[in-house]
Amino acid sequence: MQFQISRELDPVFETAGLLYISSRYEDYKKNMIAELTELGTDGEQFYHKHLKVVEKYIQAFTRHRSASDQAGFFFGVDSDPFVLALICLICENRDWMTSLDGVADEYIRFELLKALHSGDLARDLPLEQIRTLEDTVAFLKKLPIQEGSKWRLLSVLHQPKQQLRTFIDLVAGNLPAYHKAVKEVEKPLEKLLQQFAELASGQEDKSFFNIKKTFSQDSTVNPTLIMPVVAIIFEKMCYYGLFTDSLLKPGRLHAPSREALQLKLKALSDKSKLQILSSLKVSPKYNLEIAEQLGLTAATMSHHMNVLLACGLVSVDKRDGRVYYHLQQENIRQFISDLEHTLL
């Protein structure tokens, strides 16, 4: 497998995301606006200018989705990391959608634990040493997620094949609802996918190509509408929000140097982004490690890292399927030099 950039949505990823978000749409909208505002933009304005198509997409899916008694277990209010780990599992192991029977429980359990593993957050308990219930509980205690998610994860780890099959059936059973939702936003989606194709085939966009450096040679990058302004990086599959470019537009390489300087200054004026850079000065870190340290949600962290990547203030290093964030010292020195040249 070689590095690829897809020009189409991934139905499995989109359907799983739609199942989760459609179950809590009002909270999703409220949190999205709050997170966009925290990033230094007008969240309400950005949402109504850019994300109404996402709203229509979710509402269309909601009308057509299949109800299930099991949905509440997988898509509970506090289940963000839990759902993301399961989505990672079925997207990275796509053949499991149709051939789970031949996969051993132990292997499913190991792959789920690997998806949950967050570097230094559990470094004293290597995955290969998680053999007993006590080991699993000790591992889960170290994860910075809510107790409800830990309980759900423990249930899945206890019966991995049975629970994952139920999750897969939920996703597969709602693929028709996904296709109907896509049909209802067909025209604006075609335009967005064309813009993404142009972005991916060009060399001038700083935000996309800084993030692209994190992808291994065996990765596939997919556009996503259900996660519209974040970049989600799994080991083999990566998802780039179709409105990420709208959020990061001032960061393009072809922008005037003064505009690029203003973008960096705006990033540094934000308390959370400055704290992130200060934390990375000490050592490279994982996303969730920084989120736990600063008391931020994983989604908010992703937004902040997208902006810092677009500014060139951080870089990434992908090792053993895990993403480390580093302070981009050379670019920071250049930023200080540019600021001095502009003001002195």
Side-chain angles (χ1 to χ4, degrees):
M1 180 180 177
Q2 296 181 341
F3 177 79
Q4 303 178 61
I5 298 178
S6 173
R7 267 56 173 182
E8 302 295 334
L9 301 180
D10 177 350
V12 171
F13 181 86
E14 294 294 305
T15 303
L18 281 162
L19 278 166
Y20 179 47
I21 290 171
S22 65
S23 68
R24 56 196 295 268
Y25 172 68
E26 289 304 322
D27 286 338
Y28 165 82
K29 179 178 178 180
K30 179 181 177 181
N31 292 338
M32 172 71 74
I33 290 172
E35 288 165 1
L36 288 168
T37 300
E38 188 176 342
L39 289 173
T41 188
D42 186 324
E44 285 277 0
Q45 183 181 57
F46 186 93
Y47 187 93
H48 290 289
K49 180 179 179 181
H50 297 289
L51 303 184
K52 297 300 286 185
V53 63
V54 181
E55 183 174 294
K56 184 177 180 181
Y57 179 54
I58 296 167
Q59 290 173 344
F61 178 83
T62 302
R63 289 196 300 274
H64 300 294
R65 70 185 176 189
S66 299
S68 170
D69 294 337
Q70 290 84 16
F73 172 80
F74 292 104
F75 304 107
V77 173
D78 62 346
S79 57
D80 291 47
F82 169 65
V83 170
L84 193 60
L86 292 178
I87 293 173
C88 172
L89 211 57
I90 62 173
C91 288
E92 297 275 79
N93 302 278
R94 193 57 56 93
D95 57 316
W96 289 4
M97 291 289 293
T98 55
S99 60
L100 190 63
D101 286 344
V103 185
D105 274 346
E106 291 76 12
Y107 186 70
I108 297 172
R109 188 179 294 113
F110 179 82
E111 287 296 300
L112 179 55
L113 289 169
K114 188 169 72 171
L116 292 165
H117 197 258
S118 303
D120 288 343
L121 295 177
R123 65 181 178 181
D124 59 337
L125 190 58
L127 296 181
E128 60 272 13
Q129 295 182 16
I130 303 176
R131 301 181 183 278
T132 66
L133 177 61
E134 290 74 18
D135 293 338
T136 302
V137 171
F139 174 82
L140 293 177
K141 282 183 177 179
K142 294 178 180 293
L143 295 179
I145 58 179
Q146 295 187 38
E147 291 303 315
S149 286
K150 292 180 181 180
W151 173 78
R152 291 178 173 89
L153 282 166
L154 191 60
S155 297
V156 173
L157 289 167
H158 180 61
Q159 296 179 308
K161 187 181 294 186
Q162 178 181 327
Q163 296 282 19
L164 188 59
R165 183 181 286 112
T166 301
F167 184 76
I168 287 172
D169 288 346
L170 279 170
V171 174
N174 278 280
L175 285 170
Y178 155 76
H179 289 296
K180 290 177 181 177
V182 166
K183 192 68 177 176
E184 293 196 28
V185 295
E186 187 173 18
K187 288 186 177 180
L189 179 58
E190 283 181 1
K191 183 178 179 181
L192 288 166
L193 290 172
Q194 179 60 37
Q195 290 171 349
F196 175 79
E198 293 171 358
L199 172 71
S201 62
Q203 294 291 327
E204 76 283 356
D205 188 87
K206 186 174 184 179
S207 63
F208 183 80
F209 282 92
N210 273 344
I211 293 171
K212 181 179 173 181
K213 293 174 186 176
T214 72
F215 308 150
S216 74
Q217 291 303 307
D218 293 329
S219 294
T220 298
V221 184
N222 302 269
T224 172
L225 185 59
I226 194 57
M227 305 291 184
V229 289
V230 297
I232 295 176
I233 305 169
F234 298 145
E235 186 172 356
K236 294 179 289 188
M237 305 295 290
C238 312
Y239 297 90
Y240 190 84
L242 285 169
F243 289 97
T244 304
D245 190 48
S246 298
L247 184 64
L248 306 179
K249 196 171 183 178
R252 292 184 175 183
L253 285 175
H254 62 255
S257 59
R258 187 176 294 273
E259 186 179 25
L261 185 63
Q262 289 173 338
L263 183 68
K264 292 182 177 69
L265 286 168
K266 185 176 182 180
L268 290 171
S269 70
D270 178 78
K271 178 182 176 182
S272 294
K273 294 185 187 65
L274 189 59
Q275 287 177 325
I276 290 169
L277 293 174
S278 297
S279 177
L280 294 178
K281 178 184 176 182
V282 178
S283 65
K285 292 180 177 67
Y286 287 87
N287 231 10
L288 285 179
E289 188 178 2
I290 306 170
E292 181 187 37
Q293 181 181 352
L294 302 183
L296 302 172
T297 67
T300 299
M301 268 299 305
S302 294
H303 291 308
H304 284 308
M305 298 313 296
N306 284 353
V307 173
L308 292 172
L309 280 164
C311 294
L313 297 175
V314 301
S315 61
V316 290
D317 176 24
K318 191 172 181 181
R319 296 178 307 213
D320 301 322
R322 299 166 187 153
V323 177
Y324 289 88
Y325 291 91
H326 300 253
L327 201 63
Q328 185 59 277
Q329 295 183 0
E330 183 179 342
N331 285 357
I332 291 175
R333 291 190 183 97
Q334 184 61 53
F335 159 70
I336 294 170
S337 176
D338 291 343
L339 185 60
E340 182 178 24
H341 179 75
T342 301
L343 298 178
L344 299 179

